[in-house]
Amino acid sequence: MSTDQYEELYEDYILPHFEDPYHKEEIECASCQHSERNPLCGDTVTLQLIIGKDDIIEKAFFSGNGCAISQAGASILCEEIEGKTVTELEKFSAEEMLELLKVPLTATRQRCGLLGFKVLKTMLYSRDGERIEEESTPSP
Amino acid sequence: MSTQTETTTIPSEIEQLRKDFPALHQTHPNGKPVVYLDSGASAQKPQCVIDTVSECYSDYYANAYRGVYYFGARIDEGIERSRELVRELINARSTSEVIFTSGTTMSINMVARGLGEGFFTKDDEIILNVLEHHANIVPWQMIARQTGAKIKYLPLTEDGRLDLDELPELLTEKTKLLSVTGMSNVLGSIPNLEQIISACHQNGTLVLVDGAQLVPHASVDVQTLDIDFLTFSGHKLYGPSGVGVLYGKETLLDKMEPMLGGGHMIDQVFQDKSTWAELPAKFEAGTLPIAPIIGLGKAIEYVRKIGFEAIETYEHNLLKYAHDQLQKIPGLTILGPGTEHKGAIASFTIDNLHPHDIADWLDRSGVAVRAGHHCTMPLHDHLGIHASTRASFAFYNNFSDIDALCEGLKYTLEKHRLL
Ligand SMILES: Cc1ncc(COP(=O)(O)O)c(C=O)c1O
């Protein structure tokens, strides 16, 4: 990608998500939530999901602190996952997330771009996510 | 363009010296010339060091202290020559006091563990401060946890220097050791080692100086300063990575236990026990980083030829110019003390711009700086920030490098709609 192309994408796509993010707020009624911190730079992302019938992500919210790439990444992620099912998200890959970001990232910066994605994956898989509501009792 | 009003001691020679460093003449994939402002993380290597390492592998490589043949003898000579060059560099009494390690981190760990339980007992105190690199905090936390010793922190002044007025209060009969950086790798602050060491020694407290940042920029004399332990890394001193130094007073090293057991560090090995070799071998278990040690010797010869006095003067002028220029950038705050109290490092924050974004966009301008917490999380907590951007300078940087940094910052601000 040429410098001009990169600058254009950054200004037209990344910066708007950073400056005017999608669903950057903390909510009270999340079905589940999880936070992570990038130990390299201290960037944080908290993801909160409202999961409805049939395991569909009805709403996704994030909060956090950090560079344009990590925060825009979380914003893009929230926009993307609403309406998807948990099963679909389990198949959602890091490569797909990087494609959503559109701008090419070096290995170090991929950690920024994938911070929100990592939070989502940890929440879905490890059961580390603080389960709120009745979800906490395991089904028989 | 730079406004070079300052008189600089070696600028005419700088362009000549820069030719010795091939990495300084590379081009970024985007076509911009590379401007290297991350020597605090690791310094570039002069061609003579690269050649020395390469010749070691191509002309006479063998393991150290094992071969009676020609190659082996040359390797041993090379290593001992480097040891002597280190001894001269820091003015140690003897080469027995110069131990080759893998770097500062290992050197500090060797002291913490080597003093260990025989030295620290429950409620003994170790004094640190928040300027320290994690390498000079974590090993002490580990030994404190093991022995029940306590860690106390010497406070900082408002502008990020050690508050030495507080030191007498902090020193008690239980204070066994104080470990302090010779120069902060973030704020650049240079503590008054003379005052610290004299106060500590009057109290019977040992002092370790983490010289990782100081040794590449100033001459350090362990005898004049009466330093008990000094640690530094070859890769920040224009030498290869993989080699570092632990200096310790012979009487102290004699009392310390080796951290690693294995080949070369022994006198005799029986089925059930072993005895240790004499210094410095006692602390050099296993195969040493042979070529890096020999390369480090060359790097020391190279910097000493330029001379630390000239380096200090020139780098100080660079630093003053950097401070002057950086302060003109809107929203930029330089962290730490004024130039009179620091070495050639300028760490800063810019309002509404994250250090990672700054470093990323500077890279697009060809300028290499470091962003993050620089292995000093307690310092960043103390400053109330998550991360910062750091430009660190060496004698091979010139005034145009600083102009490039400032141009890059303006471009970064523009691209984030902040200018
Ligand atoms: C002040 C200080 N201490 C210790 C270290 C650790 O050095 P090394 O990684 O070479 O062991 C560094 C390197 O960044 C440093 O700047």
Side-chain angles (χ1 to χ4, degrees):
Chain A
M1 184 178 288
S2 76
T3 305
D4 288 350
Q5 282 170 314
Y6 183 95
E7 288 185 1
E8 207 177 298
L9 256 182
Y10 191 86
E11 287 193 76
D12 297 347
Y13 182 57
I14 297 292
L15 274 188
H17 268 288
F18 177 56
E19 290 168 346
D20 185 17
Y22 180 75
H23 279 183
K24 186 167 187 173
E25 58 185 276
E26 277 181 64
I27 56 160
E28 299 277 307
C29 55
S31 316
C32 56
Q33 66 179 41
H34 182 66
S35 304
E36 280 198 32
R37 189 165 177 280
N38 178 348
L40 276 179
C41 56
D43 285 7
T44 53
V45 165
T46 300
L47 202 59
Q48 294 183 305
L49 302 182
I50 298 177
I51 301 178
K53 262 211 338 247
D54 301 327
D55 265 359
I56 287 176
I57 314 297
E58 281 180 354
K59 291 233 170 346
F61 295 88
F62 83 102
S63 49
N65 236 305
C67 64
I69 300 287
S70 74
Q71 302 303 303
S75 168
I76 292 166
L77 179 78
C78 285
E79 217 173 52
E80 173 70 13
I81 64 180
E82 286 188 355
K84 298 234 154 73
T85 65
V86 171
T87 321
E88 281 174 312
L89 291 184
E90 279 169 1
K91 290 196 204 105
F92 179 49
S93 70
E95 287 71 32
E96 288 171 297
M97 180 67 219
L98 290 174
E99 268 170 39
L100 283 177
L101 281 162
K102 296 185 188 170
V103 292
L105 299 174
T106 59
T108 317
R109 293 242 81 191
Q110 286 186 11
R111 286 193 233 189
C112 306
L114 291 175
L115 183 57
F117 172 83
K118 194 166 161 246
V119 174
L120 174 72
K121 286 292 170 176
T122 314
M123 182 161 67
L124 293 180
Y125 284 144
S126 75
R127 308 275 160 213
D128 264 1
E130 300 153 41
R131 298 246 158 197
I132 307 170
E133 294 186 345
E134 69 287 342
E135 282 264 332
S136 54
T137 39
S139 42
Chain B
M1 275 309 293
S2 66
T3 45
Q4 257 165 278
T5 46
E6 292 289 343
T7 52
T8 46
T9 324
I10 39 172
S12 55
E13 291 158 45
I14 286 301
E15 295 314 310
Q16 205 51 40
L17 288 175
R18 282 171 68 86
K19 295 197 181 123
D20 296 338
F21 293 81
L24 299 180
H25 309 289
Q26 302 300 322
T27 311
H28 193 283
N30 69 14
K32 302 250 165 62
V34 166
V35 173
Y36 190 72
L37 297 178
D38 198 20
S39 301
S42 207
Q44 296 300 343
K45 323 300 173 200
Q47 190 63 47
C48 62
V49 168
I50 299 168
D51 289 345
T52 298
V53 171
S54 160
E55 279 159 20
C56 167
Y57 284 126
S58 58
D59 295 3
Y60 59 98
Y61 183 75
N63 207 329
Y65 308 123
R66 285 149 177 87
V68 290
Y69 45 86
Y70 164 64
F71 281 4
R74 271 196 73 181
I75 288 288
D76 293 357
E77 258 168 49
I79 289 179
E80 291 318 311
R81 187 176 149 68
S82 287
R83 204 187 297 280
E84 172 57 22
L85 285 162
V86 172
R87 189 203 65 74
E88 282 172 20
L89 174 75
I90 60 174
N91 192 29
R93 282 161 214 84
S94 106
T95 48
S96 311
E97 298 179 320
V98 175
I99 291 153
F100 288 119
T101 66
S102 67
T104 305
T105 303
M106 181 166 171
S107 300
I108 298 175
N109 275 277
M110 280 170 65
V111 176
R113 297 237 230 136
L115 290 170
E117 284 168 331
F119 184 74
F120 297 109
T121 51
K122 192 168 176 309
D123 297 330
D124 277 349
E125 297 161 356
I126 298 165
I127 299 184
L128 304 175
N129 67 82
V130 293
L131 288 179
E132 300 307 321
H133 188 281
H134 295 163
N136 198 20
I137 294 180
V138 184
W140 303 112
Q141 290 174 337
M142 290 163 82
I143 203 70
R145 201 168 59 189
Q146 194 185 326
T147 60
K150 294 200 163 62
I151 294 174
K152 300 205 291 193
Y153 282 80
L154 180 62
L156 300 190
T157 59
E158 193 100 329
D159 65 347
R161 290 178 293 139
L162 292 186
D163 190 350
L164 296 189
D165 292 345
E166 301 285 333
L167 183 57
E169 285 271 310
L170 223 55
L171 289 166
T172 73
E173 54 184 16
K174 291 187 177 301
T175 315
K176 286 288 190 64
L177 183 137
L178 176 145
S179 196
V180 64
T181 186
M183 169 173 153
S184 158
N185 66 317
V186 179
L187 305 185
S189 331
I190 296 183
N192 184 335
L193 291 177
E194 221 173 295
Q195 194 183 338
I196 294 171
I197 293 167
S198 126
C200 284
H201 284 175
Q202 274 173 35
N203 192 58
T205 301
L206 296 181
V207 178
L208 182 147
V209 175
D210 171 2
Q213 293 294 335
L214 183 64
V215 170
H217 299 284
S219 93
V220 179
D221 183 325
V222 293
Q223 289 193 64
T224 310
L225 285 166
D226 200 19
I227 293 175
D228 297 305
F229 299 103
L230 176 71
T231 60
F232 59 95
S233 299
H235 67 97
K236 296 187 205 270
L237 187 57
Y238 319 100
S241 58
V243 58
V245 169
L246 165 61
Y247 157 83
K249 285 182 183 160
E250 194 161 341
T251 46
L252 296 169
L253 292 175
D254 274 337
K255 281 188 239 160
M256 272 164 54
E257 281 297 308
M259 182 171 90
L260 299 175
H264 189 61
M265 53 75 70
I266 47 85
D267 175 27
Q268 280 186 290
V269 179
F270 307 96
Q271 288 200 6
D272 57 344
K273 62 171 195 280
S274 309
T275 55
W276 310 150
E278 301 272 299
L279 291 174
K282 174 180 157 187
F283 292 102
E284 292 181 346
T287 294
L288 288 169
I290 298 162
I293 290 175
I294 294 173
L296 174 60
K298 194 60 175 182
I300 292 172
E301 283 184 313
Y302 179 84
V303 261
R304 289 191 76 200
K305 215 160 81 195
I306 303 169
F308 279 106
E309 215 173 305
I311 290 177
E312 272 188 80
T313 313
Y314 175 70
E315 287 183 351
H316 190 69
N317 286 334
L318 262 186
L319 180 70
K320 279 200 287 194
Y321 183 67
H323 269 232
D324 287 349
Q325 297 309 107
L326 286 171
Q327 266 149 2
K328 293 181 193 158
I329 306 282
L332 186 146
T333 309
I334 298 175
L335 305 172
T339 54
E340 65 281 17
H341 297 295
K342 67 186 264 192
I345 285 177
S347 293
F348 55 86
T349 57
I350 299 181
D351 295 344
N352 304 314
L353 254 186
H354 191 281
H356 263 178
D357 295 326
I358 299 172
D360 194 335
W361 283 86
L362 283 178
D363 178 56
R364 284 170 208 290
S365 320
V367 180
V369 298
R370 177 130 181 227
H373 53 59
H374 323 300
C375 298
T376 56
M377 287 168 92
L379 175 63
H380 281 76
D381 284 346
H382 171 82
L383 297 170
I385 53 179
H386 290 301
S388 56
T389 309
R390 175 182 79 182
S392 50
F393 312 105
F395 62 80
Y396 51 57
N397 288 121
N398 57 21
F399 288 75
S400 340
D401 289 349
I402 291 164
D403 294 338
L405 168 66
C406 293
E407 284 308 312
L409 286 173
K410 284 182 205 150
Y411 164 69
T412 306
L413 283 165
E414 271 168 28
K415 290 296 157 194
H416 289 81
R417 305 197 260 264
L418 294 166
L419 198 70

